[in-house]
Amino acid sequence: MTIDIEPGTGRDHGPRRALRGRHLHRWLHVSLPLLIAFSVAQLSKSSIGVIVADGPFSHQFGLDKHPGSVGWLTSLFLYAYGVALFLWGFVLKRIGPRKSMLIGTAIWVVALALPPFVNTLNQLYGTRILLAIGEACFYPVAHTLTARWFPMHERARANASWLSGIFVGSALGSSLTTTMLSSAGWRATFFVQAVVAALFAFCVVLVLLQDRPDSSQGVSEEEVKHIVEGRFESTTVIPKRGPESPFRNYRYWLTMLMYIGTNAPFYGLVTWVPLYLRDERHVDLGDIGLLLTVANVLSIIVMVLVGRASDRKVKRAGWAAWGFAIEGIGIAGTALFGNAGVDSFFIFLGLAGNAWCVVTNWTLLHSLMPTRQSEYSSSVFSSLTNLVGAALPGLMGTLLTATGSYTAGFGVLFFSVVVSLGCCLVLRPQGY
């Protein structure tokens, strides 16, 4: 079915009475456990960029002799992650988000505990692939729960509440990983990550996460009504153009192309910035961890503020365009200037712009995603963008080996941002 509806002035478009107190279970049963799970997941994911800069770890797996292999630690993870994301969509539809999250988190904990027991680079690659399979359930679970539990005019804040876990984890990962590496070594670092994942992710999901508001104990009828009236099918605050199925709507695919300029630069920066600062700017490992921690704290603030601002008028593409512009300036500045202090400023700018883009891009997806199709449409979206983005860290490593310089790799990241900015300029005039 093809639809073409302008944003209206329905009952959910005007002033909305805030739900307070006991009517805030959606934040407890969805936002809090997802925030904790994403924080711990990103802690382990982003810490690999710091761990590979550790001398004993690098020597153990031959990364000091073959620096291009560093990029493949991230790229292989993302390839496996992309394939698993697609498959989790079917699992999620069959058993629901809560059970899917528990199974995925259990696999993830095991994968984190394995690296101290492996001896070769290929075996290390295997642990990263297993980690990817477990963690891949997170995004489709999160988007399905957000679509079920939050009205459209709260989606940016809801997404920001759990997406900020990406930067919480990155901030903690940078500082905690450098501390653990210095005091206990890389093997103990992986063990600690596994224990943290078991206690603060699996257990929290087990206790708090719920599948649906209408079947969850303690959720009031008023809160359920507030949620249902603001879903894709009922709301009038977003335009509804083209086929209702996202897979037959070119805007869904354009939003997917846009997200590559978010995903690829994030993994490219997280993977290569620590080595870039160490090798090209001669920054100490401890200072690198501090710099990345500050950058990620700033990114959390940006994400929360942009989420609140974006929800006021529910215009996502215009907000995303500003984020891509800031991200592009940050990436270009990092590559072009030869001073560690100046580079630090542009790294801050690049990661802050990326956080801006993450929350607006994902929320834009919800403007094109009917609730009943959220499992499949979010898993396909996540799968394909990660498969494309997976090539970037490995490609940057290949370009580094071929040219002896980081400039070409940063240039590829900048190009992906320019493409994404063009996608925003197509969707913005349509009211998205």
Side-chain angles (χ1 to χ4, degrees), residues 42-105:
Q42 191 60 36
L43 186 154
S44 61
K45 189 189 300 180
S46 63
S47 66
I48 195 67
V50 178
I51 292 174
V52 296
D54 177 64
F57 179 86
S58 182
H59 179 73
Q60 170 73 26
F61 296 104
L63 300 177
D64 50 349
K65 297 179 181 178
H66 304 284
S69 299
V70 172
W72 288 107
L73 281 173
T74 298
S75 287
L76 284 175
F77 172 92
L78 291 175
Y79 281 127
Y81 190 67
V83 173
L85 274 164
F86 179 78
L87 298 175
W88 274 110
F90 295 94
V91 176
L92 184 60
K93 192 72 173 178
R94 184 173 182 83
I95 68 174
R98 185 175 184 273
K99 289 181 180 178
S100 297
M101 193 71 169
L102 288 171
I103 293 170
T105 306

Side-chain angles (χ1 to χ4, degrees), residues 89 92-93 97 139-149 155 212 232-233 246-247 252 362 365-366 368-382:
L92 184 60
K93 192 72 173 178
Y139 275 105
V141 164
H143 284 293
T144 298
L145 290 173
T146 301
R148 290 181 180 181
W149 280 81
R155 296 281 173 93
R212 295 181 181 276
F232 179 94
E233 294 76 13
F247 302 117
Y252 170 82
W362 274 124
L365 170 65
H366 282 258
L368 300 160
M369 187 175 70
T371 307
R372 65 183 180 276
Q373 298 185 42
S374 58
E375 297 93 343
Y376 293 140
S377 52
S378 63
S379 65
V380 170
F381 186 101
S382 302

Side-chain angles (χ1 to χ4, degrees), residues 32 42 82 106 111 125 145 160 170 184 190 207 226 367 396:
L32 181 59
Q42 191 60 36
Y125 285 156
L145 290 173
S170 294
F190 278 109
V207 172
H226 174 76
S367 299
M396 289 181 72

Side-chain angles (χ1 to χ4, degrees), residues 274-288:
L275 288 176
Y276 169 75
L277 291 173
R278 186 195 70 180
D279 297 341
E280 298 295 315
R281 301 293 176 256
H282 309 294
V283 180
D284 292 336
L285 187 61
D287 292 334
I288 292 172

Side-chain angles (χ1 to χ4, degrees), residues 81-275:
Y81 190 67
V83 173
L85 274 164
F86 179 78
L87 298 175
W88 274 110
F90 295 94
V91 176
L92 184 60
K93 192 72 173 178
R94 184 173 182 83
I95 68 174
R98 185 175 184 273
K99 289 181 180 178
S100 297
M101 193 71 169
L102 288 171
I103 293 170
T105 306
I107 295 171
W108 171 50
V109 170
V110 172
L112 282 173
L114 287 177
F117 300 101
V118 304
N119 299 304
T120 69
L121 183 59
N122 286 335
Q123 291 173 345
L124 182 64
Y125 285 156
T127 67
R128 298 295 292 175
I129 290 171
L130 185 62
L131 182 69
I133 292 170
E135 192 177 321
C137 73
F138 285 22
Y139 275 105
V141 164
H143 284 293
T144 298
L145 290 173
T146 301
R148 290 181 180 181
W149 280 81
F150 291 91
M152 196 64 67
H153 59 269
E154 292 180 355
R155 296 281 173 93
R157 282 168 288 173
N159 283 330
S161 69
W162 56 264
L163 283 167
S164 61
I166 296 172
F167 296 95
V168 172
S170 294
L172 294 174
S174 300
S175 56
L176 293 179
T177 303
T178 52
T179 301
M180 285 295 300
L181 287 172
S182 301
S183 61
W186 65 269
R187 288 182 173 85
T189 299
F190 278 109
F191 278 130
V192 170
Q193 288 183 358
V195 172
V196 169
L199 293 178
F200 292 98
F202 182 87
C203 291
V204 170
V205 168
L206 181 65
V207 172
L208 291 180
L209 200 68
Q210 299 292 327
D211 278 333
R212 295 181 181 276
D214 52 356
S215 60
S216 297
Q217 191 174 15
V219 181
S220 67
E221 291 184 10
E222 186 178 356
E223 185 171 3
V224 172
K225 181 180 178 182
H226 174 76
I227 293 167
V228 172
E229 288 180 350
R231 284 178 177 167
F232 179 94
E233 294 76 13
S234 308
T235 187
T236 60
V237 301
I238 57 170
K240 297 177 183 178
R241 303 181 186 275
E244 184 177 3
S245 169
F247 302 117
R248 294 190 292 111
N249 193 332
Y250 79 87
R251 297 165 188 85
Y252 170 82
W253 300 102
L254 199 64
T255 303
M256 187 183 296
L257 178 62
M258 183 195 304
Y259 190 67
I260 293 172
T262 303
N263 208 30
F266 179 77
Y267 286 118
L269 292 173
V270 167
T271 302
W272 287 106
V273 158
L275 288 176

